[in-house]
Amino acid sequence: MESSSDKQRVKMVVVENGPLKITGRVILKDLKRDNEESTDYVELCLCGRTRNKPFCDGSHEKPE
């Protein structure tokens, strides 16, 4: 069972040939649209092939 301090702790893991996985209390800010949202899990694209930047959409798994 996760404690509240575990949820506040941010953990970032770089997946080999995959995304940057971030867990914990994360606040995403979109400065262009002046909005923000909070989440406990996000995957950010590192390969540059996603169609939903900056989020991973699994494009790294597809052949080029």
Side-chain angles (χ1 to χ4, degrees):
M1 181 171 205
E2 280 187 315
S3 69
S4 61
S5 64
D6 288 337
K7 286 187 176 183
Q8 291 179 352
R9 183 176 300 150
V10 175
K11 181 178 178 183
M12 299 187 333
V13 177
V14 177
V15 177
E16 187 174 346
N17 299 317
L20 172 64
K21 292 185 178 186
I22 305 173
T23 56
R25 186 167 183 265
V26 178
I27 298 172
L28 302 170
K29 292 186 177 187
D30 184 336
L31 300 177
K32 288 185 179 179
R33 294 179 184 86
D34 192 32
N35 66 10
E36 69 180 47
E37 67 179 82
S38 181
T39 185
D40 292 327
Y41 181 80
V42 67
E43 291 183 356
L44 300 178
C45 177
L46 295 178
C47 73
R49 289 190 262 167
T50 184
R51 292 193 173 159
N52 188 25
K53 290 182 182 176
F55 306 104
C56 177
D57 67 2
S59 292
H60 60 275
E61 296 174 353
K62 299 172 187 165
E64 291 184 49

